[in-house]
Short mmCIF file of all heavy atoms in Angstrom, two decimals:
data_model
loop_
_atom_site.label_atom_id
_atom_site.label_comp_id
_atom_site.label_asym_id
_atom_site.label_seq_id
_atom_site.Cartn_x
_atom_site.Cartn_y
_atom_site.Cartn_z
N VAL B 147 97.17 45.64 143.45
CA VAL B 147 96.99 44.34 144.13
C VAL B 147 95.66 43.70 143.76
O VAL B 147 95.52 42.53 143.41
CB VAL B 147 97.07 44.50 145.68
CG1 VAL B 147 96.85 43.14 146.37
CG2 VAL B 147 98.41 45.15 146.07
N ALA B 148 94.63 44.58 143.72
CA ALA B 148 93.26 44.08 143.34
C ALA B 148 93.27 43.49 142.00
O ALA B 148 92.72 42.41 141.75
CB ALA B 148 92.26 45.19 143.50
N LEU B 149 93.87 44.25 140.98
CA LEU B 149 93.84 43.77 139.62
C LEU B 149 94.66 42.50 139.45
O LEU B 149 94.20 41.58 138.78
CB LEU B 149 94.46 44.93 138.67
CG LEU B 149 93.55 46.06 138.35
CD1 LEU B 149 94.32 47.16 137.68
CD2 LEU B 149 92.40 45.55 137.49
N TYR B 150 95.84 42.44 140.13
CA TYR B 150 96.61 41.30 139.98
C TYR B 150 96.00 40.07 140.58
O TYR B 150 96.09 38.92 140.11
CB TYR B 150 98.08 41.55 140.55
CG TYR B 150 98.98 42.33 139.55
CD1 TYR B 150 98.42 42.96 138.47
CD2 TYR B 150 100.33 42.31 139.71
CE1 TYR B 150 99.22 43.67 137.60
CE2 TYR B 150 101.21 42.98 138.83
CZ TYR B 150 100.62 43.68 137.80
OH TYR B 150 101.41 44.37 136.89
N SER B 151 95.39 40.28 141.85
CA SER B 151 94.76 39.08 142.44
C SER B 151 93.54 38.67 141.64
O SER B 151 93.27 37.46 141.48
CB SER B 151 94.41 39.35 143.88
OG SER B 151 93.51 40.46 144.01
N LEU B 152 92.87 39.64 140.97
CA LEU B 152 91.79 39.24 140.11
C LEU B 152 92.21 38.43 138.96
O LEU B 152 91.69 37.37 138.64
CB LEU B 152 91.08 40.52 139.58
CG LEU B 152 90.00 40.38 138.53
CD1 LEU B 152 88.69 39.77 139.24
CD2 LEU B 152 89.64 41.64 137.86
N LEU B 153 93.37 38.81 138.36
CA LEU B 153 93.97 38.17 137.19
C LEU B 153 94.41 36.83 137.60
O LEU B 153 94.10 35.80 136.88
CB LEU B 153 95.18 39.01 136.77
CG LEU B 153 95.93 38.42 135.47
CD1 LEU B 153 95.04 38.54 134.32
CD2 LEU B 153 97.20 39.25 135.26
N ILE B 154 95.15 36.68 138.74
CA ILE B 154 95.75 35.35 139.09
C ILE B 154 94.65 34.36 139.63
O ILE B 154 94.49 33.27 139.15
CB ILE B 154 96.91 35.56 140.15
CG1 ILE B 154 97.98 36.33 139.52
CG2 ILE B 154 97.42 34.16 140.60
CD1 ILE B 154 99.04 36.86 140.43
N PHE B 155 93.92 34.84 140.71
CA PHE B 155 93.04 33.88 141.44
C PHE B 155 91.70 33.68 140.85
O PHE B 155 91.07 32.60 141.02
CB PHE B 155 93.00 34.28 142.89
CG PHE B 155 94.29 34.27 143.61
CD1 PHE B 155 94.90 35.41 143.96
CD2 PHE B 155 94.98 33.07 143.89
CE1 PHE B 155 96.17 35.43 144.62
CE2 PHE B 155 96.16 33.02 144.56
CZ PHE B 155 96.81 34.32 144.90
N ALA B 156 91.21 34.74 140.10
CA ALA B 156 89.96 34.53 139.57
C ALA B 156 89.87 34.19 138.09
O ALA B 156 89.27 33.29 137.69
CB ALA B 156 89.05 35.83 139.88
N VAL B 157 90.66 34.95 137.32
CA VAL B 157 90.63 34.74 135.84
C VAL B 157 91.47 33.48 135.45
O VAL B 157 91.01 32.63 134.68
CB VAL B 157 91.14 35.98 135.11
CG1 VAL B 157 91.19 35.66 133.66
CG2 VAL B 157 90.22 37.09 135.37
N HIS B 158 92.69 33.31 135.99
CA HIS B 158 93.55 32.26 135.59
C HIS B 158 93.34 31.00 136.38
O HIS B 158 92.99 29.95 135.79
CB HIS B 158 95.02 32.65 135.62
CG HIS B 158 95.45 33.20 134.31
ND1 HIS B 158 96.05 32.49 133.37
CD2 HIS B 158 95.17 34.47 133.79
CE1 HIS B 158 96.26 33.33 132.23
NE2 HIS B 158 95.76 34.41 132.55
N LEU B 159 93.46 31.02 137.69
CA LEU B 159 93.30 29.76 138.47
C LEU B 159 91.88 29.39 138.71
O LEU B 159 91.55 28.23 138.98
CB LEU B 159 94.09 29.97 139.85
CG LEU B 159 95.53 30.21 139.70
CD1 LEU B 159 96.18 30.53 140.99
CD2 LEU B 159 96.27 29.00 139.09
N LYS B 160 90.98 30.46 138.61
CA LYS B 160 89.48 30.25 138.79
C LYS B 160 89.23 29.64 140.14
O LYS B 160 88.31 28.86 140.34
CB LYS B 160 88.96 29.37 137.77
CG LYS B 160 89.02 29.96 136.34
CD LYS B 160 88.18 29.17 135.42
CE LYS B 160 88.04 29.79 134.00
NZ LYS B 160 89.17 30.40 133.43
N TRP B 161 90.04 29.99 141.23
CA TRP B 161 89.76 29.49 142.60
C TRP B 161 88.65 30.25 143.30
O TRP B 161 87.89 29.63 144.08
CB TRP B 161 91.04 29.64 143.47
CG TRP B 161 92.16 28.71 143.11
CD1 TRP B 161 92.04 27.62 142.24
CD2 TRP B 161 93.49 28.67 143.58
NE1 TRP B 161 93.17 26.94 142.16
CE2 TRP B 161 94.15 27.56 143.00
CE3 TRP B 161 94.19 29.50 144.50
CZ2 TRP B 161 95.51 27.25 143.29
CZ3 TRP B 161 95.48 29.20 144.73
CH2 TRP B 161 96.08 28.09 144.20
N LEU B 162 88.66 31.53 142.95
CA LEU B 162 87.64 32.36 143.67
C LEU B 162 86.80 33.20 142.72
O LEU B 162 87.25 33.40 141.56
CB LEU B 162 88.44 33.32 144.57
CG LEU B 162 89.10 32.66 145.77
CD1 LEU B 162 90.15 33.56 146.37
CD2 LEU B 162 88.03 32.26 146.85
N PRO B 163 85.60 33.56 143.11
CA PRO B 163 84.73 34.32 142.22
C PRO B 163 85.28 35.73 141.88
O PRO B 163 86.06 36.27 142.68
CB PRO B 163 83.42 34.48 142.95
CG PRO B 163 83.82 34.18 144.35
CD PRO B 163 84.97 33.29 144.39
N ALA B 164 85.00 36.21 140.69
CA ALA B 164 85.62 37.51 140.27
C ALA B 164 84.76 38.73 140.66
O ALA B 164 85.34 39.69 141.13
CB ALA B 164 85.83 37.46 138.75
N ILE B 165 83.47 38.66 140.48
CA ILE B 165 82.67 39.84 140.67
C ILE B 165 81.49 39.55 141.59
O ILE B 165 80.97 38.45 141.77
CB ILE B 165 82.26 40.41 139.36
CG1 ILE B 165 81.42 39.48 138.57
CG2 ILE B 165 83.34 41.02 138.63
CD1 ILE B 165 80.69 40.12 137.40
N GLY B 166 80.92 40.66 142.13
CA GLY B 166 79.76 40.65 142.92
C GLY B 166 79.99 40.39 144.43
O GLY B 166 81.15 40.34 144.82
N ALA B 167 78.87 40.33 145.20
CA ALA B 167 79.01 40.10 146.68
C ALA B 167 78.52 38.66 147.10
O ALA B 167 78.52 38.47 148.31
CB ALA B 167 78.28 41.20 147.33
N GLY B 168 78.16 37.93 146.13
CA GLY B 168 77.65 36.57 146.50
C GLY B 168 76.11 36.57 146.73
O GLY B 168 75.51 37.59 146.78
N ASN B 169 75.55 35.33 146.78
CA ASN B 169 74.06 35.26 146.94
C ASN B 169 73.69 35.65 148.28
O ASN B 169 74.28 35.29 149.19
CB ASN B 169 73.73 33.76 146.63
CG ASN B 169 73.99 33.44 145.17
OD1 ASN B 169 73.91 34.33 144.24
ND2 ASN B 169 74.39 32.18 144.97
N GLU B 170 72.54 36.35 148.38
CA GLU B 170 72.01 36.77 149.63
C GLU B 170 71.59 35.51 150.43
O GLU B 170 71.02 34.55 149.93
CB GLU B 170 70.84 37.67 149.36
CG GLU B 170 70.77 38.84 150.32
CD GLU B 170 69.73 39.83 149.95
OE1 GLU B 170 69.85 40.31 148.78
OE2 GLU B 170 68.86 40.11 150.75
N GLY B 171 72.02 35.53 151.69
CA GLY B 171 71.64 34.31 152.55
C GLY B 171 72.70 33.24 152.56
O GLY B 171 72.73 32.46 153.52
N ASP B 172 73.55 33.17 151.57
CA ASP B 172 74.53 32.19 151.45
C ASP B 172 75.79 32.64 152.01
O ASP B 172 76.59 33.33 151.33
CB ASP B 172 74.68 31.67 149.99
CG ASP B 172 75.64 30.48 149.90
OD1 ASP B 172 76.29 30.16 150.89
OD2 ASP B 172 75.72 29.89 148.83
N LEU B 173 76.06 32.46 153.29
CA LEU B 173 77.21 33.14 153.99
C LEU B 173 78.53 32.66 153.40
O LEU B 173 79.48 33.47 153.19
CB LEU B 173 77.19 32.81 155.50
CG LEU B 173 76.22 33.72 156.31
CD1 LEU B 173 76.32 33.34 157.71
CD2 LEU B 173 76.65 35.19 156.14
N LEU B 174 78.64 31.33 153.07
CA LEU B 174 79.92 30.85 152.55
C LEU B 174 80.23 31.52 151.18
O LEU B 174 81.35 31.91 150.96
CB LEU B 174 79.86 29.32 152.40
CG LEU B 174 81.17 28.72 151.85
CD1 LEU B 174 82.21 28.80 152.91
CD2 LEU B 174 80.93 27.26 151.39
N ASP B 175 79.23 31.63 150.29
CA ASP B 175 79.35 32.30 149.01
C ASP B 175 79.77 33.81 149.24
O ASP B 175 80.72 34.24 148.59
CB ASP B 175 78.05 32.18 148.27
CG ASP B 175 78.23 32.62 146.87
OD1 ASP B 175 79.20 32.27 146.29
OD2 ASP B 175 77.42 33.30 146.30
N GLN B 176 79.15 34.48 150.22
CA GLN B 176 79.47 35.83 150.45
C GLN B 176 80.94 36.00 150.94
O GLN B 176 81.65 36.87 150.54
CB GLN B 176 78.53 36.43 151.46
CG GLN B 176 77.15 36.67 150.87
CD GLN B 176 76.25 37.25 151.87
OE1 GLN B 176 76.48 37.29 153.06
NE2 GLN B 176 75.05 37.74 151.48
N PHE B 177 81.37 34.99 151.80
CA PHE B 177 82.72 35.07 152.30
C PHE B 177 83.75 34.84 151.17
O PHE B 177 84.73 35.53 151.12
CB PHE B 177 82.89 34.00 153.38
CG PHE B 177 84.30 33.95 153.92
CD1 PHE B 177 84.80 34.89 154.71
CD2 PHE B 177 85.12 32.91 153.58
CE1 PHE B 177 86.08 34.89 155.23
CE2 PHE B 177 86.43 32.83 154.08
CZ PHE B 177 86.88 33.84 154.90
N LYS B 178 83.38 33.93 150.30
CA LYS B 178 84.30 33.70 149.12
C LYS B 178 84.42 34.95 148.29
O LYS B 178 85.51 35.20 147.79
CB LYS B 178 83.68 32.53 148.24
CG LYS B 178 84.05 31.20 148.66
CD LYS B 178 83.63 30.23 147.63
CE LYS B 178 83.71 28.76 148.06
NZ LYS B 178 82.99 27.86 147.19
N HIS B 179 83.32 35.72 148.17
CA HIS B 179 83.47 36.92 147.36
C HIS B 179 84.16 38.01 148.08
O HIS B 179 84.58 39.02 147.55
CB HIS B 179 82.02 37.43 147.07
CG HIS B 179 81.39 36.71 145.92
ND1 HIS B 179 80.74 35.48 146.05
CD2 HIS B 179 81.34 36.95 144.53
CE1 HIS B 179 80.30 35.09 144.82
NE2 HIS B 179 80.67 35.95 143.90
N LEU B 180 84.34 37.84 149.41
CA LEU B 180 85.11 38.88 150.18
C LEU B 180 86.61 38.65 150.15
O LEU B 180 87.39 39.60 150.45
CB LEU B 180 84.59 38.94 151.64
CG LEU B 180 83.48 39.83 151.98
CD1 LEU B 180 83.03 39.59 153.40
CD2 LEU B 180 83.94 41.24 151.85
N ILE B 181 87.05 37.39 149.90
CA ILE B 181 88.47 37.10 150.15
C ILE B 181 89.35 38.00 149.22
O ILE B 181 90.23 38.65 149.84
CB ILE B 181 88.73 35.61 149.81
CG1 ILE B 181 87.94 34.71 150.79
CG2 ILE B 181 90.26 35.25 149.82
CD1 ILE B 181 88.04 33.28 150.54
N LEU B 182 89.23 38.02 147.96
CA LEU B 182 90.09 38.76 147.15
C LEU B 182 90.03 40.36 147.45
O LEU B 182 91.07 41.00 147.60
CB LEU B 182 89.82 38.57 145.63
CG LEU B 182 90.27 37.12 145.14
CD1 LEU B 182 89.98 36.95 143.74
CD2 LEU B 182 91.72 36.84 145.42
N PRO B 183 88.76 40.90 147.49
CA PRO B 183 88.77 42.36 147.84
C PRO B 183 89.41 42.64 149.18
O PRO B 183 90.23 43.59 149.38
CB PRO B 183 87.25 42.64 147.95
CG PRO B 183 86.63 41.56 147.14
CD PRO B 183 87.51 40.41 147.24
N SER B 184 89.23 41.78 150.19
CA SER B 184 89.85 42.09 151.53
C SER B 184 91.38 41.89 151.49
O SER B 184 92.10 42.52 152.20
CB SER B 184 89.26 41.33 152.66
OG SER B 184 89.58 39.97 152.46
N LEU B 185 91.78 40.96 150.59
CA LEU B 185 93.30 40.84 150.37
C LEU B 185 93.83 42.10 149.87
O LEU B 185 94.82 42.61 150.40
CB LEU B 185 93.56 39.70 149.38
CG LEU B 185 95.04 39.53 148.91
CD1 LEU B 185 95.74 38.76 150.04
CD2 LEU B 185 95.07 38.85 147.62
N ALA B 186 93.12 42.75 148.88
CA ALA B 186 93.69 43.97 148.18
C ALA B 186 93.62 45.06 149.27
O ALA B 186 94.57 45.91 149.28
CB ALA B 186 92.89 44.34 147.03
N VAL B 187 92.58 45.18 150.00
CA VAL B 187 92.42 46.34 150.90
C VAL B 187 93.42 46.18 152.07
O VAL B 187 93.98 47.19 152.54
CB VAL B 187 90.97 46.48 151.43
CG1 VAL B 187 90.91 47.59 152.45
CG2 VAL B 187 90.06 46.68 150.27
N GLY B 188 93.64 45.00 152.55
CA GLY B 188 94.35 44.76 153.79
C GLY B 188 95.93 44.59 153.58
O GLY B 188 96.64 44.77 154.62
#
Side-chain angles (χ1 to χ4, degrees):
Chain B
V147 179
L149 283 170
Y150 280 16
S151 58
L152 174 75
L153 180 67
I154 297 169
F155 297 109
V157 175
H158 269 263
L159 298 172
K160 297 191 172 37
W161 286 351
L162 290 162
I165 55 169
N169 296 324
E170 219 169 306
D172 185 350
L173 278 179
L174 182 70
D175 190 41
Q176 287 180 349
F177 178 71
K178 275 187 187 164
H179 281 83
L180 265 174
I181 295 176
L182 291 180
S184 69
L185 173 80
V187 176

